[in-house]
Amino acid sequence: MTMTTATTTTQKKVLGTYGAGSHHWVGDGFPVRNLFPSNGLQVEVSPFLMLDYAGPQYFTPSEKRRGVGEHPHRGFETVTIAYQGSVGHRDSAGNAGVIAPGDVQWMTAASGVLHEELHEAEFSKAGGVFEMIQLWVNLPAKDKMSKPGYQTITKEQIPVIALPGGGHVRVIAGEFDGKKGPAKTFTAVNLWDVILKAGEKVELTVPEGHNTAVVLRKGDATVNGSAKLKGEAQIAVLAQEGNTVVIEAKEDSQLVLLSGEPINEPIASYGPFVMNTREEILQAVSDLKAGKFGQL
């Protein structure tokens, strides 16, 4: 099927396909497979900075809440999509909340926050399978020192567009088939959950000039006829030129499509800080030591 309003369509060229570039634990609650930047991808996926696929992993019942304790961020946004399991969040800007399966947490660190991300109390006590994606989204230089923000996006707020082949698209950010996602973004970004049934083929329209990537969480699918994604934690990266992405599922497949207007500015990064210059990184470290990120 075709979802397009453009008069002419040109497939985006596939630049490459990659598996997980690294496997590691974030804290004691998030066993992640990193798809970028560990594969050497940076300018090809701008404005996106990082993508970790956590799980799926079974956690035994525990009275102790696993996760990541207090830590800082400055200069970008963190986006967490929950598929299985629940996470609780609180930060130094006074925001707190829980995201459950189907929900999304969109935190704008901007000028700086301290926060913690822990398995939600009841999920910890009961145990269960944990599966989430965390994506870091860069901010333009003019917005890096803006006020921190926080969006809790519930499953019910996310438009779901049914596809004729039995699958569907959830629009978290951007626009698909005339439906806009609830996430407020600083730059033009599309973030869609794409679920396809075996044998289903879909043509998706994304803006010309956007960097675009298709992430396979699980399944077997082909992107634009040449990129084969099979198993778990795979990514196809596409060129800015062109405006269509054709995905054909060989079996039931769970995917995420992300596209965004590139931010063509220098990047200086150090751990949880992403700025434009080394001097700004040093300032971030100084501000953190001085207590300017607030406190939990």
Side-chain angles (χ1 to χ4, degrees):
M1 67 160 290
T2 300
M3 290 284 185
T4 177
T5 56
T7 55
T8 58
T9 61
T10 308
Q11 286 189 14
K12 286 181 173 284
K13 180 183 177 181
V14 176
L15 299 177
T17 58
Y18 307 84
S22 68
H23 299 67
H24 60 276
W25 282 78
V26 178
D28 63 357
F30 309 109
V32 305
R33 288 171 280 186
N34 180 266
L35 292 177
F36 60 83
S38 60
N39 280 302
L41 299 169
Q42 187 179 80
V43 296
E44 302 90 343
V45 291
S46 174
F48 308 105
L49 297 163
M50 186 203 78
L51 192 147
D52 277 342
Y53 180 38
Q57 169 126 351
Y58 176 77
F59 283 90
T60 57
S62 173
E63 290 298 319
K64 176 184 177 293
R65 294 176 64 193
R66 303 176 178 97
V68 188
E70 180 179 317
H71 61 282
H73 289 299
R74 172 178 279 183
F76 61 97
E77 302 182 287
T78 68
V79 179
T80 305
I81 310 170
Y83 296 104
Q84 301 184 77
S86 301
V87 162
H89 158 96
R90 65 189 184 107
D91 65 40
S92 56
N95 303 298
V98 172
I99 56 168
D103 297 345
V104 175
Q105 174 197 95
W106 199 296
M107 186 188 80
T108 304
S111 61
V113 294
L114 299 173
H115 79 145
E116 66 176 18
E117 301 161 286
L118 301 172
H119 291 188
E120 185 269 332
E122 293 306 313
F123 173 75
S124 292
K125 290 176 183 176
V129 177
F130 187 90
E131 180 188 5
M132 300 198 179
I133 278 178
Q134 183 163 99
L135 182 67
W136 288 10
V137 184
N138 200 9
L139 291 172
K142 66 182 180 61
D143 296 315
K144 282 187 177 292
M145 292 301 289
S146 57
K147 183 180 178 181
Y150 185 75
Q151 303 172 67
T152 298
I153 300 168
T154 64
K155 179 181 178 180
E156 292 74 22
Q157 292 174 293
I158 299 172
V160 180
I161 292 90
L163 302 173
H168 65 263
V169 175
R170 293 200 319 148
V171 189
I172 297 166
E175 184 174 345
F176 175 81
D177 196 31
K179 301 290 186 182
K180 292 185 178 181
K184 296 178 178 66
T185 65
F186 284 77
T187 59
V189 167
N190 288 308
L191 180 57
W192 307 334
D193 264 330
V194 182
I195 305 298
L196 299 180
K197 298 295 185 182
E200 188 170 7
K201 184 177 182 179
V202 63
E203 181 177 298
L204 308 172
T205 300
V206 293
E208 177 88 29
H210 270 210
N211 282 329
T212 303
V214 177
V215 175
L216 179 78
R217 290 194 288 124
K218 181 179 180 180
D220 184 350
T222 302
V223 179
N224 284 355
S226 62
K228 300 183 185 303
L229 304 177
K230 186 174 182 179
E232 295 184 356
Q234 302 282 309
I235 186 171
V237 178
L238 292 87
Q240 294 178 15
E241 297 77 22
N243 60 358
T244 62
V245 181
V246 178
I247 307 174
E248 185 170 4
K250 308 296 184 185
E251 61 184 53
D252 289 357
S253 298
Q254 304 164 0
L255 307 109
V256 177
L257 183 144
L258 44 147
S259 84
E261 183 180 355
I263 298 175
N264 297 315
E265 297 174 348
I267 289 179
S269 61
Y270 176 73
F273 308 133
V274 182
M275 303 301 290
N276 299 106
T277 67
R278 180 175 181 272
E279 289 71 25
E280 289 170 335
I281 293 294
L282 294 174
Q283 187 63 54
V285 173
S286 175
D287 288 349
L288 177 65
K289 290 178 178 178
K292 294 182 179 180
F293 282 48
Q295 59 184 10
L296 288 179

